[in-house]
Amino acid sequence: MQHLKDEIAKSPTLRFILLQLGEDGKHYPNRIGSITLNEVESCYSQVKLELYGLFRALHAVHVYTFRIANFTVELDAKYVKGMINNPDLQPNTTINRWIAGILLFSFKLVHVPAEKHAGLDGLSCRPWADTDPPILDDH
């Protein structure tokens, strides 16, 4: 199982992992997903990318987390929690729309230091490919 986790973490297209807590207290991969960025999105600042990634990941797994009242989201970016807790302080309507979409979910946001989040943190978004299906912005 550890080999599978390591290979998933090394994947250049991986962006998020949905883990399930087993009866033995270990986390097991349930779903994996990637987020491709178009030309405009690839120019976002790191802060904006972290928030947008959370927004897109939550919406991508909403079918699997529907009616789960206590799931945890782990991020290595501390500032995302502040952005979510203080949406009116953000000067951008797009960011506020993402925050509103994030707040539709009931979850606990946990900061995991980058050195403990190294497998996922080392992943980069792959560039948009011609074979990728179009992403409909119907959020």
Side-chain angles (χ1 to χ4, degrees):
M1 184 54 110
Q2 187 60 43
H3 174 70
L4 177 62
K5 290 180 190 177
D6 293 340
E7 290 303 311
I8 288 171
K10 290 178 192 173
S11 170
T13 61
L14 182 67
R15 192 62 182 159
F16 59 87
I17 300 175
L18 180 63
L19 299 170
Q20 185 171 358
L21 186 62
E23 291 181 9
D24 57 0
K26 293 182 182 179
H27 291 91
Y28 295 96
N30 187 307
R31 297 275 185 258
I32 61 172
S34 64
I35 297 172
T36 56
L37 302 174
N38 63 31
E39 192 174 329
V40 173
E41 294 164 349
S42 65
C43 295
Y44 288 165
S45 68
Q46 186 63 34
V47 173
K48 205 169 177 181
L49 276 175
E50 293 284 352
L51 187 68
Y52 183 61
L54 175 59
F55 171 75
R56 290 275 306 274
L58 286 172
H59 283 274
V61 299
H62 79 276
V63 171
Y64 310 109
T65 60
F66 183 70
R67 295 189 61 132
I68 296 177
N70 61 344
F71 70 95
T72 302
V73 174
E74 296 180 349
L75 289 175
D76 65 348
K78 281 185 179 181
Y79 50 81
V80 171
K81 190 171 189 173
M83 293 172 75
I84 292 171
N85 291 336
N86 302 299
D88 292 334
L89 299 178
Q90 309 306 322
N92 188 313
T93 56
T94 302
I95 289 175
N96 283 330
R97 183 172 61 93
W98 297 340
I99 291 171
I102 290 168
L103 292 175
L104 293 174
F105 296 86
S106 176
F107 62 91
K108 178 181 175 187
L109 189 60
V110 175
H111 174 256
V112 177
E115 56 273 1
K116 291 186 179 183
H117 219 12
L120 294 177
D121 193 43
L123 300 173
S124 59
C125 290
R126 68 178 172 86
W128 186 266
D130 292 335
T131 57
D132 288 331
I135 297 171
L136 304 174
D137 189 11
D138 60 352
H139 307 296

